[in-house]
């Protein structure tokens, strides 16, 4: 289920670094639009008062701690080991996120109940949310299998909840559009280039899910090597 000490430090740092590289454009956009400089920003981030305020904010706790931990525990640590022996690792990576996407459909009922928008726009928004949550779920499932740890997917989930979906439309209309779009493209390119090296199983020790499949007689090993 990804709870182990072997290789925990690279499992915590490298997947998060990889995800931050993917978000290079949005991070640059955030820094451009932030009124404070880097020094002031670091002071705010590292200040004990800021963390104390966050820990008493139930919405922050839900988005940054509770949701990432519980969702990754259920849809990665619990569901993947059950699916993989039946479907194989490859299909499990893409099947498991479908359940993760469907789990977010409760937003449809909330929006319909409170009539927050038209029915068509609500279902269009739900389809879009299902798509990107399924893609994100496949990514964290890939991380879980390749690292054998739960901590990486949880930290990446928390980071993505904080960042939200990249504001590409705002970037296209930004005063510094060209360097910003270059950062978007550079982030995606570096992410694709570093995806395999930074998730190399050799960095994280033995992989419990791969060991489970080997014992079950499954010789499929592309994701395990």
């Amino acid at each position: 289920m990804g709870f182990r000490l072997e290789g925990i430090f690279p499992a915590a740092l490298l997947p998060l670094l990889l995800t931050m590289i993917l978000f290079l454009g949005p991070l640059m956009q955030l820094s451009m639009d932030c009124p404070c400089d880097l020094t002031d920003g670091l002071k705010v981030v590292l200040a004990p008062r800021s963390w104390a305020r966050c820990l008493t904010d139930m919405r922050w706790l839900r988005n940054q701690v509770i949701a990432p931990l519980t969702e990754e525990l259920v849809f990665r640590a619990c569901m993947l080991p059950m699916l993989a022996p039946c479907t194989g690792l490859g299909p499990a990576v893409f099947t498991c996120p479908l359940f993760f996407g469907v789990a977010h459909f409760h937003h449809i009922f909330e929006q319909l109940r409170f009539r927050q928008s038209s029915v068509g726009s609500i279902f269009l928004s739900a389809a879009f949310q299902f798509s990107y949550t399924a893609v994100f779920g496949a990514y964290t499932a890939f991380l879980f299998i390749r690292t054998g740890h739960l901590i990486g997917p949880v930290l990446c989930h928390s980071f993505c909840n904080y960042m939200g979906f990249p504001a590409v439309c705002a970037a296209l209309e930004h005063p510094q559009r060209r360097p910003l779009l270059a950062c978007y493209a550079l982030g995606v390119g570096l992410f694709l280039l570093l995806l395999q090296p930074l998730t190399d199983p050799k960095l994280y020790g033995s992989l419990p899910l791969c060991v489970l499949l080997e014992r079950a007689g499954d010789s499929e090993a592309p994701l395990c090597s």
Side-chain angles (χ1 to χ4, degrees):
M1 292 178 67
F3 295 103
R4 60 197 184 98
L5 293 177
E6 182 188 15
I8 191 169
F9 291 111
L13 295 175
L14 296 181
L16 181 59
L17 174 63
L18 183 65
T19 307
M20 292 177 72
I21 289 172
L22 177 62
F23 277 76
L24 179 62
L27 285 171
M28 186 62 66
Q29 189 172 349
L30 192 63
S31 67
M32 287 178 176
D33 297 337
C34 183
C36 58
D37 58 24
L38 180 61
T39 305
D40 293 335
L42 288 175
K43 287 180 180 178
V44 172
V45 170
L46 299 176
R49 285 185 179 181
S50 298
W51 284 100
R53 195 179 304 114
C54 290
L55 293 174
T56 56
D57 183 345
M58 291 305 298
R59 186 173 183 178
W60 185 91
L61 285 172
R62 180 196 68 183
N63 292 336
Q64 309 308 134
V65 180
I66 298 171
L69 180 59
T70 55
E71 291 179 359
E72 294 305 316
L73 178 64
V74 171
F75 293 101
R76 252 58 73 182
C78 293
M79 193 172 287
L80 269 174
M82 290 190 294
L83 283 174
C86 302
T87 65
L89 283 179
V93 167
F94 295 101
T95 303
C96 189
L98 300 180
F99 294 97
F100 179 59
V102 170
H104 290 77
F105 277 1
H106 65 90
H107 294 298
I108 300 177
F109 302 106
E110 292 173 2
Q111 292 174 348
L112 289 173
R113 180 181 177 186
F114 296 105
R115 299 187 180 277
Q116 296 178 355
S117 185
S118 66
V119 174
S121 61
I122 289 173
F123 278 96
L124 185 62
S125 174
F128 176 71
Q129 186 181 35
F130 174 81
S131 300
Y132 77 73
T133 52
V135 170
F136 174 78
Y139 171 56
T140 54
F142 176 84
L143 291 177
F144 180 78
I145 292 171
R146 295 275 289 178
T147 66
H149 282 270
L150 186 64
I151 189 170
V154 169
L155 292 177
C156 293
H157 195 146
S158 181
F159 173 77
C160 290
N161 277 1
Y162 174 77
M163 293 298 296
F165 192 81
V168 180
C169 293
L172 292 171
E173 299 174 357
H174 199 277
Q176 301 184 53
R177 179 174 63 254
R178 289 185 179 178
L180 190 54
L181 293 178
C183 287
Y184 269 83
L186 180 62
V188 173
L190 287 175
F191 171 80
L192 295 174
L193 185 66
L194 296 172
L195 180 61
Q196 294 287 339
L198 291 186
T199 61
D200 189 337
K202 295 176 183 176
L203 299 171
Y204 308 102
S206 62
L207 305 182
L209 186 53
C210 295
V211 172
L212 174 68
L213 292 178
E214 287 175 6
R215 289 177 181 174
D218 191 337
S219 60
E220 181 183 4
L223 291 177
C224 297
S225 59

PDB file of all heavy atoms in Angstrom, residues 161-190:
ATOM      1  N   ASN A 161      -3.783  20.553  -6.150  1.00  0.00           N
ATOM      2  CA  ASN A 161      -4.973  21.188  -5.568  1.00  0.00           C
ATOM      3  C   ASN A 161      -4.705  22.653  -5.280  1.00  0.00           C
ATOM      4  O   ASN A 161      -5.582  23.502  -5.451  1.00  0.00           O
ATOM      5  CB  ASN A 161      -5.382  20.471  -4.284  1.00  0.00           C
ATOM      6  CG  ASN A 161      -6.229  19.241  -4.542  1.00  0.00           C
ATOM      7  OD1 ASN A 161      -6.512  18.905  -5.691  1.00  0.00           O
ATOM      8  ND2 ASN A 161      -6.613  18.553  -3.490  1.00  0.00           N
ATOM      9  N   TYR A 162      -3.493  22.954  -4.828  1.00  0.00           N
ATOM     10  CA  TYR A 162      -3.135  24.348  -4.539  1.00  0.00           C
ATOM     11  C   TYR A 162      -3.042  25.167  -5.825  1.00  0.00           C
ATOM     12  O   TYR A 162      -3.545  26.289  -5.898  1.00  0.00           O
ATOM     13  CB  TYR A 162      -1.802  24.405  -3.793  1.00  0.00           C
ATOM     14  CG  TYR A 162      -1.285  25.808  -3.589  1.00  0.00           C
ATOM     15  CD1 TYR A 162      -1.837  26.631  -2.598  1.00  0.00           C
ATOM     16  CD2 TYR A 162      -0.272  26.331  -4.395  1.00  0.00           C
ATOM     17  CE1 TYR A 162      -1.377  27.924  -2.427  1.00  0.00           C
ATOM     18  CE2 TYR A 162       0.184  27.619  -4.222  1.00  0.00           C
ATOM     19  CZ  TYR A 162      -0.367  28.416  -3.239  1.00  0.00           C
ATOM     20  OH  TYR A 162       0.079  29.702  -3.070  1.00  0.00           O
ATOM     21  N   MET A 163      -2.428  24.594  -6.858  1.00  0.00           N
ATOM     22  CA  MET A 163      -2.210  25.333  -8.098  1.00  0.00           C
ATOM     23  C   MET A 163      -3.488  25.462  -8.922  1.00  0.00           C
ATOM     24  O   MET A 163      -3.707  26.473  -9.596  1.00  0.00           O
ATOM     25  CB  MET A 163      -1.133  24.639  -8.936  1.00  0.00           C
ATOM     26  CG  MET A 163       0.254  24.676  -8.342  1.00  0.00           C
ATOM     27  SD  MET A 163       0.906  26.350  -8.154  1.00  0.00           S
ATOM     28  CE  MET A 163       0.995  26.880  -9.871  1.00  0.00           C
ATOM     29  N   GLY A 164      -4.346  24.435  -8.880  1.00  0.00           N
ATOM     30  CA  GLY A 164      -5.524  24.437  -9.737  1.00  0.00           C
ATOM     31  C   GLY A 164      -5.152  24.140 -11.178  1.00  0.00           C
ATOM     32  O   GLY A 164      -3.979  23.927 -11.516  1.00  0.00           O
ATOM     33  N   PHE A 165      -6.168  24.134 -12.042  1.00  0.00           N
ATOM     34  CA  PHE A 165      -5.900  23.865 -13.460  1.00  0.00           C
ATOM     35  C   PHE A 165      -5.181  25.075 -14.068  1.00  0.00           C
ATOM     36  O   PHE A 165      -5.551  26.228 -13.808  1.00  0.00           O
ATOM     37  CB  PHE A 165      -7.209  23.612 -14.207  1.00  0.00           C
ATOM     38  CG  PHE A 165      -7.003  23.048 -15.582  1.00  0.00           C
ATOM     39  CD1 PHE A 165      -6.768  21.695 -15.767  1.00  0.00           C
ATOM     40  CD2 PHE A 165      -7.036  23.883 -16.700  1.00  0.00           C
ATOM     41  CE1 PHE A 165      -6.564  21.175 -17.037  1.00  0.00           C
ATOM     42  CE2 PHE A 165      -6.835  23.374 -17.967  1.00  0.00           C
ATOM     43  CZ  PHE A 165      -6.602  22.014 -18.136  1.00  0.00           C
ATOM     44  N   PRO A 166      -4.129  24.863 -14.857  1.00  0.00           N
ATOM     45  CA  PRO A 166      -3.361  25.984 -15.429  1.00  0.00           C
ATOM     46  C   PRO A 166      -4.248  26.980 -16.173  1.00  0.00           C
ATOM     47  O   PRO A 166      -5.082  26.595 -16.996  1.00  0.00           O
ATOM     48  CB  PRO A 166      -2.390  25.287 -16.392  1.00  0.00           C
ATOM     49  CG  PRO A 166      -2.223  23.920 -15.825  1.00  0.00           C
ATOM     50  CD  PRO A 166      -3.555  23.550 -15.227  1.00  0.00           C
ATOM     51  N   ALA A 167      -4.040  28.260 -15.881  1.00  0.00           N
ATOM     52  CA  ALA A 167      -4.835  29.328 -16.493  1.00  0.00           C
ATOM     53  C   ALA A 167      -4.244  29.686 -17.857  1.00  0.00           C
ATOM     54  O   ALA A 167      -3.630  30.754 -18.027  1.00  0.00           O
ATOM     55  CB  ALA A 167      -4.877  30.540 -15.567  1.00  0.00           C
ATOM     56  N   VAL A 168      -4.427  28.797 -18.815  1.00  0.00           N
ATOM     57  CA  VAL A 168      -3.824  28.973 -20.140  1.00  0.00           C
ATOM     58  C   VAL A 168      -4.404  30.202 -20.847  1.00  0.00           C
ATOM     59  O   VAL A 168      -3.678  30.968 -21.491  1.00  0.00           O
ATOM     60  CB  VAL A 168      -4.031  27.716 -21.001  1.00  0.00           C
ATOM     61  CG1 VAL A 168      -3.409  27.900 -22.376  1.00  0.00           C
ATOM     62  CG2 VAL A 168      -3.444  26.492 -20.312  1.00  0.00           C
ATOM     63  N   CYS A 169      -5.717  30.407 -20.717  1.00  0.00           N
ATOM     64  CA  CYS A 169      -6.352  31.564 -21.371  1.00  0.00           C
ATOM     65  C   CYS A 169      -5.795  32.872 -20.828  1.00  0.00           C
ATOM     66  O   CYS A 169      -5.541  33.825 -21.584  1.00  0.00           O
ATOM     67  CB  CYS A 169      -7.868  31.519 -21.169  1.00  0.00           C
ATOM     68  SG  CYS A 169      -8.664  30.135 -22.021  1.00  0.00           S
ATOM     69  N   ALA A 170      -5.581  32.926 -19.510  1.00  0.00           N
ATOM     70  CA  ALA A 170      -4.996  34.134 -18.908  1.00  0.00           C
ATOM     71  C   ALA A 170      -3.560  34.332 -19.391  1.00  0.00           C
ATOM     72  O   ALA A 170      -3.113  35.467 -19.588  1.00  0.00           O
ATOM     73  CB  ALA A 170      -5.042  34.027 -17.388  1.00  0.00           C
ATOM     74  N   ALA A 171      -2.839  33.226 -19.590  1.00  0.00           N
ATOM     75  CA  ALA A 171      -1.465  33.322 -20.084  1.00  0.00           C
ATOM     76  C   ALA A 171      -1.427  33.883 -21.508  1.00  0.00           C
ATOM     77  O   ALA A 171      -0.527  34.652 -21.865  1.00  0.00           O
ATOM     78  CB  ALA A 171      -0.801  31.951 -20.037  1.00  0.00           C
ATOM     79  N   LEU A 172      -2.418  33.504 -22.317  1.00  0.00           N
ATOM     80  CA  LEU A 172      -2.474  34.007 -23.699  1.00  0.00           C
ATOM     81  C   LEU A 172      -2.737  35.507 -23.761  1.00  0.00           C
ATOM     82  O   LEU A 172      -2.377  36.156 -24.748  1.00  0.00           O
ATOM     83  CB  LEU A 172      -3.563  33.248 -24.476  1.00  0.00           C
ATOM     84  CG  LEU A 172      -3.284  31.767 -24.758  1.00  0.00           C
ATOM     85  CD1 LEU A 172      -4.519  31.091 -25.337  1.00  0.00           C
ATOM     86  CD2 LEU A 172      -2.095  31.608 -25.705  1.00  0.00           C
ATOM     87  N   GLU A 173      -3.371  36.051 -22.713  1.00  0.00           N
ATOM     88  CA  GLU A 173      -3.686  37.482 -22.677  1.00  0.00           C
ATOM     89  C   GLU A 173      -2.750  38.259 -21.758  1.00  0.00           C
ATOM     90  O   GLU A 173      -2.952  39.446 -21.531  1.00  0.00           O
ATOM     91  CB  GLU A 173      -5.136  37.668 -22.216  1.00  0.00           C
ATOM     92  CG  GLU A 173      -6.161  37.023 -23.150  1.00  0.00           C
ATOM     93  CD  GLU A 173      -7.569  37.102 -22.603  1.00  0.00           C
ATOM     94  OE1 GLU A 173      -7.734  37.609 -21.465  1.00  0.00           O
ATOM     95  OE2 GLU A 173      -8.506  36.662 -23.298  1.00  0.00           O
ATOM     96  N   HIS A 174      -1.732  37.595 -21.233  1.00  0.00           N
ATOM     97  CA  HIS A 174      -0.816  38.217 -20.274  1.00  0.00           C
ATOM     98  C   HIS A 174       0.082  39.231 -20.978  1.00  0.00           C
ATOM     99  O   HIS A 174       0.480  39.023 -22.135  1.00  0.00           O
ATOM    100  CB  HIS A 174       0.040  37.133 -19.600  1.00  0.00           C
ATOM    101  CG  HIS A 174       0.660  37.562 -18.320  1.00  0.00           C
ATOM    102  ND1 HIS A 174       1.842  38.279 -18.267  1.00  0.00           N
ATOM    103  CD2 HIS A 174       0.260  37.397 -17.034  1.00  0.00           C
ATOM    104  CE1 HIS A 174       2.152  38.517 -17.003  1.00  0.00           C
ATOM    105  NE2 HIS A 174       1.216  37.985 -16.230  1.00  0.00           N
ATOM    106  N   PRO A 175       0.444  40.343 -20.307  1.00  0.00           N
ATOM    107  CA  PRO A 175       1.347  41.327 -20.929  1.00  0.00           C
ATOM    108  C   PRO A 175       2.700  40.735 -21.336  1.00  0.00           C
ATOM    109  O   PRO A 175       3.300  41.182 -22.305  1.00  0.00           O
ATOM    110  CB  PRO A 175       1.524  42.386 -19.815  1.00  0.00           C
ATOM    111  CG  PRO A 175       0.302  42.245 -18.968  1.00  0.00           C
ATOM    112  CD  PRO A 175      -0.072  40.800 -19.014  1.00  0.00           C
ATOM    113  N   GLN A 176       3.172  39.754 -20.580  1.00  0.00           N
ATOM    114  CA  GLN A 176       4.439  39.091 -20.911  1.00  0.00           C
ATOM    115  C   GLN A 176       4.153  37.698 -21.480  1.00  0.00           C
ATOM    116  O   GLN A 176       4.706  36.698 -21.040  1.00  0.00           O
ATOM    117  CB  GLN A 176       5.320  39.007 -19.672  1.00  0.00           C
ATOM    118  CG  GLN A 176       5.645  40.373 -19.076  1.00  0.00           C
ATOM    119  CD  GLN A 176       6.589  40.278 -17.900  1.00  0.00           C
ATOM    120  OE1 GLN A 176       7.660  39.685 -18.000  1.00  0.00           O
ATOM    121  NE2 GLN A 176       6.200  40.847 -16.773  1.00  0.00           N
ATOM    122  N   ARG A 177       3.305  37.687 -22.484  1.00  0.00           N
ATOM    123  CA  ARG A 177       2.791  36.446 -23.037  1.00  0.00           C
ATOM    124  C   ARG A 177       3.890  35.542 -23.589  1.00  0.00           C
ATOM    125  O   ARG A 177       3.896  34.337 -23.323  1.00  0.00           O
ATOM    126  CB  ARG A 177       1.775  36.776 -24.135  1.00  0.00           C
ATOM    127  CG  ARG A 177       1.179  35.555 -24.813  1.00  0.00           C
ATOM    128  CD  ARG A 177       0.076  35.944 -25.783  1.00  0.00           C
ATOM    129  NE  ARG A 177       0.560  36.772 -26.876  1.00  0.00           N
ATOM    130  CZ  ARG A 177       0.333  38.086 -27.003  1.00  0.00           C
ATOM    131  NH1 ARG A 177      -0.356  38.729 -26.095  1.00  0.00           N
ATOM    132  NH2 ARG A 177       0.780  38.764 -28.035  1.00  0.00           N
ATOM    133  N   ARG A 178       4.832  36.072 -24.335  1.00  0.00           N
ATOM    134  CA  ARG A 178       5.831  35.231 -25.006  1.00  0.00           C
ATOM    135  C   ARG A 178       6.736  34.483 -24.024  1.00  0.00           C
ATOM    136  O   ARG A 178       6.871  33.253 -24.140  1.00  0.00           O
ATOM    137  CB  ARG A 178       6.655  36.081 -25.965  1.00  0.00           C
ATOM    138  CG  ARG A 178       5.859  36.521 -27.202  1.00  0.00           C
ATOM    139  CD  ARG A 178       6.729  37.258 -28.189  1.00  0.00           C
ATOM    140  NE  ARG A 178       5.979  37.647 -29.379  1.00  0.00           N
ATOM    141  CZ  ARG A 178       6.493  38.335 -30.385  1.00  0.00           C
ATOM    142  NH1 ARG A 178       7.777  38.698 -30.347  1.00  0.00           N
ATOM    143  NH2 ARG A 178       5.745  38.656 -31.427  1.00  0.00           N
ATOM    144  N   PRO A 179       7.376  35.166 -23.061  1.00  0.00           N
ATOM    145  CA  PRO A 179       8.206  34.396 -22.118  1.00  0.00           C
ATOM    146  C   PRO A 179       7.381  33.436 -21.266  1.00  0.00           C
ATOM    147  O   PRO A 179       7.853  32.349 -20.909  1.00  0.00           O
ATOM    148  CB  PRO A 179       8.872  35.474 -21.255  1.00  0.00           C
ATOM    149  CG  PRO A 179       8.052  36.690 -21.443  1.00  0.00           C
ATOM    150  CD  PRO A 179       7.485  36.610 -22.813  1.00  0.00           C
ATOM    151  N   LEU A 180       6.145  33.820 -20.984  1.00  0.00           N
ATOM    152  CA  LEU A 180       5.279  32.967 -20.172  1.00  0.00           C
ATOM    153  C   LEU A 180       4.913  31.692 -20.926  1.00  0.00           C
ATOM    154  O   LEU A 180       4.997  30.584 -20.380  1.00  0.00           O
ATOM    155  CB  LEU A 180       4.024  33.736 -19.779  1.00  0.00           C
ATOM    156  CG  LEU A 180       3.119  33.095 -18.736  1.00  0.00           C
ATOM    157  CD1 LEU A 180       3.896  32.752 -17.478  1.00  0.00           C
ATOM    158  CD2 LEU A 180       1.966  34.038 -18.401  1.00  0.00           C
ATOM    159  N   LEU A 181       4.529  31.826 -22.188  1.00  0.00           N
ATOM    160  CA  LEU A 181       4.196  30.647 -22.991  1.00  0.00           C
ATOM    161  C   LEU A 181       5.429  29.781 -23.236  1.00  0.00           C
ATOM    162  O   LEU A 181       5.322  28.557 -23.329  1.00  0.00           O
ATOM    163  CB  LEU A 181       3.577  31.082 -24.322  1.00  0.00           C
ATOM    164  CG  LEU A 181       2.195  31.751 -24.229  1.00  0.00           C
ATOM    165  CD1 LEU A 181       1.713  32.188 -25.610  1.00  0.00           C
ATOM    166  CD2 LEU A 181       1.183  30.797 -23.592  1.00  0.00           C
ATOM    167  N   ALA A 182       6.606  30.423 -23.324  1.00  0.00           N
ATOM    168  CA  ALA A 182       7.854  29.660 -23.459  1.00  0.00           C
ATOM    169  C   ALA A 182       8.080  28.805 -22.216  1.00  0.00           C
ATOM    170  O   ALA A 182       8.532  27.654 -22.317  1.00  0.00           O
ATOM    171  CB  ALA A 182       9.026  30.606 -23.680  1.00  0.00           C
ATOM    172  N   CYS A 183       7.734  29.344 -21.032  1.00  0.00           N
ATOM    173  CA  CYS A 183       7.868  28.577 -19.787  1.00  0.00           C
ATOM    174  C   CYS A 183       6.876  27.418 -19.754  1.00  0.00           C
ATOM    175  O   CYS A 183       7.206  26.324 -19.278  1.00  0.00           O
ATOM    176  CB  CYS A 183       7.657  29.491 -18.581  1.00  0.00           C
ATOM    177  SG  CYS A 183       9.018  30.625 -18.278  1.00  0.00           S
ATOM    178  N   TYR A 184       5.668  27.661 -20.266  1.00  0.00           N
ATOM    179  CA  TYR A 184       4.692  26.567 -20.364  1.00  0.00           C
ATOM    180  C   TYR A 184       5.248  25.436 -21.229  1.00  0.00           C
ATOM    181  O   TYR A 184       5.213  24.261 -20.844  1.00  0.00           O
ATOM    182  CB  TYR A 184       3.384  27.082 -20.973  1.00  0.00           C
ATOM    183  CG  TYR A 184       2.357  27.567 -19.981  1.00  0.00           C
ATOM    184  CD1 TYR A 184       2.412  28.850 -19.467  1.00  0.00           C
ATOM    185  CD2 TYR A 184       1.320  26.747 -19.560  1.00  0.00           C
ATOM    186  CE1 TYR A 184       1.461  29.312 -18.551  1.00  0.00           C
ATOM    187  CE2 TYR A 184       0.362  27.188 -18.658  1.00  0.00           C
ATOM    188  CZ  TYR A 184       0.438  28.473 -18.160  1.00  0.00           C
ATOM    189  OH  TYR A 184      -0.505  28.917 -17.262  1.00  0.00           O
ATOM    190  N   ALA A 185       5.761  25.786 -22.399  1.00  0.00           N
ATOM    191  CA  ALA A 185       6.285  24.775 -23.327  1.00  0.00           C
ATOM    192  C   ALA A 185       7.524  24.097 -22.748  1.00  0.00           C
ATOM    193  O   ALA A 185       7.678  22.864 -22.857  1.00  0.00           O
ATOM    194  CB  ALA A 185       6.627  25.424 -24.665  1.00  0.00           C
ATOM    195  N   LEU A 186       8.399  24.879 -22.121  1.00  0.00           N
ATOM    196  CA  LEU A 186       9.612  24.318 -21.521  1.00  0.00           C
ATOM    197  C   LEU A 186       9.259  23.338 -20.401  1.00  0.00           C
ATOM    198  O   LEU A 186       9.870  22.272 -20.290  1.00  0.00           O
ATOM    199  CB  LEU A 186      10.494  25.446 -20.980  1.00  0.00           C
ATOM    200  CG  LEU A 186      11.807  25.021 -20.308  1.00  0.00           C
ATOM    201  CD1 LEU A 186      12.715  24.297 -21.312  1.00  0.00           C
ATOM    202  CD2 LEU A 186      12.521  26.234 -19.713  1.00  0.00           C
ATOM    203  N   GLY A 187       8.275  23.701 -19.579  1.00  0.00           N
ATOM    204  CA  GLY A 187       7.857  22.824 -18.486  1.00  0.00           C
ATOM    205  C   GLY A 187       7.343  21.486 -18.989  1.00  0.00           C
ATOM    206  O   GLY A 187       7.717  20.430 -18.471  1.00  0.00           O
ATOM    207  N   VAL A 188       6.503  21.519 -20.030  1.00  0.00           N
ATOM    208  CA  VAL A 188       5.961  20.279 -20.592  1.00  0.00           C
ATOM    209  C   VAL A 188       7.083  19.440 -21.222  1.00  0.00           C
ATOM    210  O   VAL A 188       7.148  18.222 -21.033  1.00  0.00           O
ATOM    211  CB  VAL A 188       4.867  20.583 -21.630  1.00  0.00           C
ATOM    212  CG1 VAL A 188       4.423  19.303 -22.335  1.00  0.00           C
ATOM    213  CG2 VAL A 188       3.668  21.256 -20.959  1.00  0.00           C
ATOM    214  N   GLY A 189       7.987  20.110 -21.944  1.00  0.00           N
ATOM    215  CA  GLY A 189       9.089  19.395 -22.581  1.00  0.00           C
ATOM    216  C   GLY A 189      10.009  18.730 -21.565  1.00  0.00           C
ATOM    217  O   GLY A 189      10.386  17.566 -21.722  1.00  0.00           O
ATOM    218  N   LEU A 190      10.399  19.474 -20.514  1.00  0.00           N
ATOM    219  CA  LEU A 190      11.265  18.916 -19.481  1.00  0.00           C
ATOM    220  C   LEU A 190      10.565  17.789 -18.721  1.00  0.00           C
ATOM    221  O   LEU A 190      11.196  16.797 -18.344  1.00  0.00           O
ATOM    222  CB  LEU A 190      11.696  20.013 -18.508  1.00  0.00           C
ATOM    223  CG  LEU A 190      12.719  21.018 -19.031  1.00  0.00           C
ATOM    224  CD1 LEU A 190      12.954  22.119 -18.007  1.00  0.00           C
ATOM    225  CD2 LEU A 190      14.041  20.320 -19.374  1.00  0.00           C
TER     226      LEU A 190
END
